[in-house]
Amino acid sequence: MNDEISQVDGCAFTTDELQRFHQYYQYPWTTAGLDDETAVNKRIEYFVAEVDPLIDSKRLREWLRTMGIVDASEMSDEARLYSRFEGYDFVTAPGFAETLGDVYAVDGANIKHQIDARMVQAKAQYYNQHVEPLDYNAYQQYKEANAPKPVCPYQHMWDNADSKRPPRAVDASNFQNIRIVDLTDYVAPNEELTAGVLGRIHAAVVSGFDEKYHAVAVISSASLAADDASSAPPAEPVFLPSLSRKTADIQQTMQAYVRLQIDLRRLNQTKPVVMFASGSVDQSALGILLSTPDIVTTEAFSAAVGPATESASVFPIAALYDWASLDTSQAKYPEGTAEYILCNSDLVLRSSEWSALGFGSGVIAQRNLAASMERILLAASCPPPHTRDALRKAYIADSAYPGPSKVGVWSQEIARYFAPVARGLHSIDDLAAELATDQQPWATKCLAYITGSASTAIALRMAALRAAREEGFNDNRYSSTLMLEAGATVAWSKGERSVEKLMSVADASAPIIAAAEPEKDRMTAVDNVVPNKCPFAQMYRKNPEHFKNVDLDAIAEHRALNL
């Protein structure tokens, strides 16, 4: 029992009673074959007979009533009506999602409170029209009058019941107008992303172009446990494992990898694509994750992107376009932040760093992931044109503060050592010489990577970042970075270690890009004609649907827009 539970003034129950009652509340009922639908009286009988015969069942019932928990046999007709309403499955209710446009049409502070209030009203209206008579105002008055009284000092521990239940799986069949791509169906956490696996994921993704789908969601059910206490999520769940490191298959793997990224970006121009990254992402597969701006993470998310990671020995550069496009002005980090991150093998990016860098859209507690995912997917079920806005409002409402970023504390060091490299003022050798004068442990470790076995990979990363940031890089920034990344990776797999030669093999990857890209997508056009730091480009990436009729060529030539 929890020795920290104690009686306080105003509580009608003793310390010993509270401990016993809380043990009852936390009991894993599914192990005894008793689910959430089991009557309270039956649960009490079982607990007294099998778990704690010394507990006072009468006093336990009194305590449960203070928590608002009563047996169905004790409920009034009014209470039974509202219980049926609260237990109704609105997720699968025909036509309910189509009514939610107004629910998410909120702005300003406290979005979550506004959404919650509107959602209850929308549910009450639907229930009254399609199930049985229910008056919303009477329901609100009932809830206020029967709210649990704070007679137990630990009532707040039970206010959010979902947070005390084991994680559970999300039933994809409940969301018929959302294409849910479960990565667990295609690759196990201990496997690699081969060309074949990437091809099957790609086929699932492009099926999302079907007009019957309002949105596409990429999840990994391996990070969720079923409603069974005997199962639990893995200690270190994996969202995206490494690309296949088999040297003979590198070209085919890169072709499938590039193709998947391109079509994810194309798809995101027509409908929202949301990824629930509830596990680790290998640095070689980051390009897949970053193919959409709608990325929801949990505390289980991690990404080690340093040059000494295992996959970096095969894929020395990855997600080049995104690292080169990192907007340090929005993240309030100095220029050179991308260089610092890609040189630092001790740094593991987690949700706090990911969000601070501007890559993450929302952070949800892992224990609440299934419930939050259902709410977010329900919002994404809204028909166009409300889909994208409803989706984003939903994950913002469910998001929590991820904590401080570990990158921000090194801003001074980044500005001193890595900003000159980003500006092309210092070479990698100059960086090494500067770090050698700094006696701090982090500088010593970073220097060891720069001058050690990862030196060539780091030099390639720095050169690739500079090239990718050059204005008019091969006339098409996104495709050019993909070509450089793919070409250098294939050449690296064949033993090439000259940075100069690795930087000049982009043309060799043209067949890879040509085979992967079926048509010039609009995102590529945006990156071609609109500078990365242009305010329009930033607005476009957040809501491309809203600006789909904008004349991109006019922006490039600074002419009047044809809106």
Side-chain angles (χ1 to χ4, degrees), residues 153-172:
Y154 304 96
Q155 180 177 326
H156 66 279
M157 297 171 66
W158 321 119
D159 284 343
N160 185 359
D162 284 341
S163 66
K164 290 298 177 183
R165 292 173 182 161
R168 54 188 174 80
V170 173
D171 188 351

Side-chain angles (χ1 to χ4, degrees), residues 280-479:
S280 65
V281 176
D282 189 86
Q283 67 92 28
S284 65
L286 270 179
I288 299 173
L289 179 64
L290 289 167
S291 295
T292 175
D294 296 306
I295 303 171
V296 179
T297 64
T298 72
E299 68 271 24
F301 169 80
S302 66
V305 299
T309 57
E310 193 172 356
S311 67
S313 63
V314 180
F315 303 95
I317 52 176
L320 175 59
Y321 171 79
D322 302 283
W323 288 118
S325 304
L326 182 63
D327 187 350
T328 53
S329 63
Q330 285 195 353
K332 297 181 180 179
Y333 290 145
E335 194 174 0
T337 298
E339 279 77 1
Y340 164 75
I341 292 172
L342 296 179
C343 279
N344 191 343
S345 282
D346 290 333
L347 177 65
V348 176
L349 300 177
R350 299 197 181 275
S351 288
S352 52
E353 291 77 37
W354 196 251
S355 298
L357 290 169
F359 290 145
S361 304
V363 180
I364 294 172
Q366 181 79 12
R367 71 174 185 272
N368 296 332
L369 180 58
S372 292
M373 192 182 294
E374 286 186 343
R375 286 191 289 270
I376 293 168
L377 294 179
L378 178 61
S381 299
C382 283
H386 307 290
T387 312
R388 198 179 299 268
D389 185 60
L391 167 69
R392 292 177 176 175
K393 294 285 178 58
Y395 63 60
I396 289 172
D398 267 39
S399 290
Y401 173 59
S405 167
K406 296 192 294 290
V407 176
V409 299
W410 299 103
S411 292
Q412 291 184 354
E413 289 79 1
I414 292 172
R416 176 182 174 184
Y417 295 113
F418 294 93
V421 178
R423 295 171 189 149
L425 301 176
H426 283 181
S427 67
I428 195 71
D429 291 333
D430 295 330
L431 173 61
E434 288 283 335
L435 290 172
T437 65
D438 194 318
Q439 301 302 313
Q440 295 184 76
W442 78 270
T444 302
K445 288 184 178 180
C446 193
L447 178 62
Y449 290 123
I450 291 176
T451 58
S453 58
S455 59
T456 305
I458 291 176
L460 175 61
R461 289 180 172 195
M462 301 303 103
L465 284 173
R466 285 196 300 272
R469 293 189 183 117
E470 290 178 1
E471 188 173 351
F473 178 54
N474 287 0
D475 299 323
N476 192 312
R477 193 173 185 200
Y478 178 58
S479 291

Side-chain angles (χ1 to χ4, degrees), residues 7-57:
Q7 201 270 354
V8 298
D9 292 340
C11 177
F13 304 99
T14 67
T15 298
D16 180 69
E17 285 179 323
L18 288 173
Q19 292 186 12
R20 293 179 183 277
F21 298 163
H22 285 219
Q23 185 187 37
Y24 167 89
Y25 196 96
Q26 292 181 304
Y27 190 77
W29 297 105
T30 54
T31 62
L34 305 176
D35 56 23
D36 291 342
E37 303 301 321
T38 304
V40 174
N41 287 338
K42 188 172 182 179
R43 284 190 175 192
I44 293 175
E45 291 174 4
Y46 175 87
F47 195 82
V48 172
E50 303 294 336
V51 182
D52 186 0
L54 299 180
I55 197 169
D56 187 328
S57 60

Side-chain angles (χ1 to χ4, degrees), residues 2 14 35 59 84 105 118 128 152 162 172 182 187 192 205 210 231 237 280 303 308 340 452 467 472 480 483 485:
N2 188 350
T14 67
D35 56 23
R59 292 279 286 172
R84 290 193 299 273
R118 292 188 178 201
N128 178 61
C152 173
D162 284 341
D182 187 350
V187 61
E192 294 183 337
V205 166
D210 193 309
S231 68
S280 65
Y340 164 75
S480 296
M483 291 174 71
E485 187 177 320

Side-chain angles (χ1 to χ4, degrees), residues 114-373:
Q114 296 181 63
I115 291 175
D116 288 347
R118 292 188 178 201
M119 181 64 78
V120 173
Q121 190 166 7
K123 288 181 176 180
Q125 184 175 354
Y126 180 95
Y127 193 87
N128 178 61
Q129 292 177 348
H130 299 281
V131 184
E132 61 180 318
L134 183 141
D135 184 276
Y136 169 73
N137 292 325
Y139 171 72
Q140 289 292 87
Q141 293 172 6
Y142 173 85
K143 293 297 289 184
E144 291 177 7
N146 292 273
K149 299 177 178 57
V151 297
C152 173
Y154 304 96
Q155 180 177 326
H156 66 279
M157 297 171 66
W158 321 119
D159 284 343
N160 185 359
D162 284 341
S163 66
K164 290 298 177 183
R165 292 173 182 161
R168 54 188 174 80
V170 173
D171 188 351
S173 65
N174 290 338
F175 304 95
Q176 296 296 322
N177 53 10
I178 298 178
R179 180 61 171 104
I180 298 180
V181 180
D182 187 350
L183 298 175
T184 308
D185 294 338
Y186 305 97
V187 61
N190 59 346
E191 296 177 345
E192 294 183 337
L193 295 169
T194 64
V197 169
L198 291 168
R200 289 190 289 275
I201 295 174
H202 175 266
V205 166
V206 296
S207 68
F209 279 105
D210 193 309
E211 292 184 358
K212 69 180 180 181
Y213 297 121
H214 300 333
V216 174
V218 182
I219 70 171
S220 174
S221 60
S223 63
L224 294 170
D227 280 324
D228 185 348
S230 63
S231 68
E236 295 182 359
V238 175
F239 184 70
L240 282 169
S242 169
L243 299 183
S244 174
R245 286 169 283 180
K246 291 183 179 179
T247 304
D249 300 334
I250 292 297
Q251 182 157 333
Q252 290 77 13
T253 299
M254 289 304 297
Q255 180 174 315
Y257 178 53
V258 168
R259 186 184 184 195
L260 177 56
Q261 291 181 70
I262 290 174
D263 278 332
L264 276 167
R265 290 178 185 267
R266 286 181 58 235
L267 180 59
N268 195 57
Q269 305 315 301
T270 63
K271 61 191 66 177
V273 178
V274 59
M275 295 205 187
F276 293 90
S278 54
S280 65
V281 176
D282 189 86
Q283 67 92 28
S284 65
L286 270 179
I288 299 173
L289 179 64
L290 289 167
S291 295
T292 175
D294 296 306
I295 303 171
V296 179
T297 64
T298 72
E299 68 271 24
F301 169 80
S302 66
V305 299
T309 57
E310 193 172 356
S311 67
S313 63
V314 180
F315 303 95
I317 52 176
L320 175 59
Y321 171 79
D322 302 283
W323 288 118
S325 304
L326 182 63
D327 187 350
T328 53
S329 63
Q330 285 195 353
K332 297 181 180 179
Y333 290 145
E335 194 174 0
T337 298
E339 279 77 1
Y340 164 75
I341 292 172
L342 296 179
C343 279
N344 191 343
S345 282
D346 290 333
L347 177 65
V348 176
L349 300 177
R350 299 197 181 275
S351 288
S352 52
E353 291 77 37
W354 196 251
S355 298
L357 290 169
F359 290 145
S361 304
V363 180
I364 294 172
Q366 181 79 12
R367 71 174 185 272
N368 296 332
L369 180 58
S372 292
M373 192 182 294

